[in-house]
Amino acid sequence: MVTRTRGSSCMFSSGLSKELQTGRGTMDPLRSPPVLLTVSVFLLSVVPQGVTAGYKIGVGIADVTGPSAEIGFMGYAKMRQKGTGIHLRQFSRAFIFNDGKHRLVFVSVDCAMIANGLRKEVLARLKTAYGDLYTEQNVMLSGSHTHSTPGGYMQNLLFDLSILGFVRQTFAVLTSGIVKSVRKAHESMTRGSVFVTQGEVQGANINRSPTAYLANPPAERAKYRHDVDKTMVQLRLVRDDGTPLGAINWFAVHPTSMNNTNTLVSSDNVGYAAILFEQRMNPGRIIGKGPFVSAFASSNLGDVSPNVRGARCQFSGRPCDLHSSSCSGRKEMCIASGPGADMFESTRTIAIKLFSKAWELWNDKDSQEVTGPLGAIHQFVDMPSQQAKYFDHVTRKSVSVRGCLPAMGYSFAAGTTDGPGSFSFQQGMKTENPLWNAVRNFLASPSAADVACHGAKPVLLATGNMDFPFEWQPRIVSTQLALIGPVAIACVPGEFTTMSGRRLRGAVSEGVAEGGGQRPSYIIVAGLCNTYSDYITTPEEYEVQRYEGASTIYGPHTLTIYLSQYRKLAAALIKGSQLNRGPNPPDLWDDLVSFVTPVVFDTPKWSHNFGDCTEQPVDVAEPGVTVRAKFVAAHPRNNLTLGGTYLTVERFVGSSGQWVVVATDANWETRFYWIRLSPILGSSEALITWTVDPEVVPGKYRIRHFGSYKYIFGGIHPYHGSTHTFKVVNKGSDYKRLRH
């Protein structure tokens, strides 16, 4: 079935308690939860003359958890990787800065990336609410780049292909959640101060394409100690009375600790780091409901992996070939892993490293207070039509170069060591195959000019020549730059590699100086921002044709064009020059298609009702024990429970006679699994697990499940269920005695 879709709609939870919806008075006040950090929104505008110190600042957070069942995940492009539940919820985190005349919005979202169409819809809704206060000039939307969240919202065919097309629910949830987080930030604005600091994080990232990095000039590489950026930059937001409001932490690492076998919605390592930070600052509050907001935002992570053990052959455990990331002809994948024993432990370990450094930076007494004017500038760019000057380090001459029509190379199909692709392809492929060329030409043939333009890249998909049923990859991208005092934020439309990001920082610094300004002390690359146009390698890395080079879609001088563009933006921002808006990205709404099957109806398990508990938890549990419960369930896509949960773990407080919420499906220690029992009858069950935390207060507990079922004759109706009570006791003899 093919459906053409437009607009947005989704259901929201209505069956939860007022306390759970508000987040007040529901978390166990005796429990001291761990810490985490997720997403950010940041508002900025044109540099005013004569404005100095003093800001109004605001923070906001909103749930953006998409459909968690039977929708493909965006990131690894694996059609079999479809949701079966929730590990960690997705959030949008927004930060607003206002110097009295102009504003800047930065939003960090727990999603794979941001697309032109998504940003356009967000801006349209903000315009309806606030007029010209928040526009394409001063709103930055940055995806965290988790690979474990629902896709189908990109509106470019190549990106939505493995998800089976456009998914209206995913698009609607992201749009409404981003807008809600900005609204909360807007409504919370108060006088405050902003501080900036930075520090190194060790043991959290490695370069997954080191042979490509080594292709960069030795003199350039000699300037840096590492082949990845180890520096975390933090902006700290504090109210005038000293109350902490929020923090944005930028660090270059892929959120791919959760690998392509995972089918639980997860914000991955950076998302859990955000949760840890927020739990530390919002004790006793439900995740996503506290006043303090912290984001771990993406940066130049293109060639950066969190799987610090490096790549090994899947079965033999032998080292992979460094250049091709293959296993010498064996039918086994070259896969990177670590530092943990499994992907959950690895996610937790990396998250703790990120949070620990962020917490150290938060308490850094030598951090610099940010003062000075706000400024932002934006321009759309048609990449294939761009020209720039490039200094060739081999010939020592400056030459004119231009962009190419989008195309993907052979090594794109090989995948990465974080998520390998097909056995038929290897990284570093620079020769064509007649069979694959025939397949390519059936879809669209590259012209001779296209082939010449892409140079070392053998074209596997000539996406720039493919427009059926609509655009496969974007030609027009968003470029944006912001200044807040001595801090520059370059909002980039893709995944810059380590060295590409370093060169971009240099270009921004040069542009500011050319405009007559003082070079910024801190230059941040905000990745996957506003538009997604795959990877951006250096020209030297491009020649190696690893995965990142094969996915640099505008040809070998994609970075060269971006360096020229951001240098121009920086100079114009300082001078106060007005740039033309640039070409409009195409409106693709009327062309979108979807092959995603809808939920038709739900039926309960035979002789049961929705919400019945079919597997009760153990009678007694101690810290470290995983408690399980099963319920008769309906499809989670009937109601996305935004701002709510599919489960609660609750403790009975005898003094008040009330149950208080200890954990939801946003907590690390819980997991929500949805299991389809019969596609024909529409029956399913929910498995809920809770690993008892060492800090949990002993007492009586229960687990509850919430959902909504779709009646065969129409209508969606809420249901809930509960287990019997069970005891949590201190670790030791009490547990053994009560168990036996």
Side-chain angles (χ1 to χ4, degrees), residues 37 108 176 513 517 531 612 625 675 707:
L37 173 64
S108 178
S176 61
T531 306
D612 285 354
V625 169
I675 305 165

Side-chain angles (χ1 to χ4, degrees), residues 149 283-284 329 355 396 461 518 576 580 593 610 682 737:
T149 54
F355 162 69
R396 310 299 295 176
L461 291 173
Q518 184 175 352
N580 64 72
V593 296
F610 290 109
R737 177 175 59 81

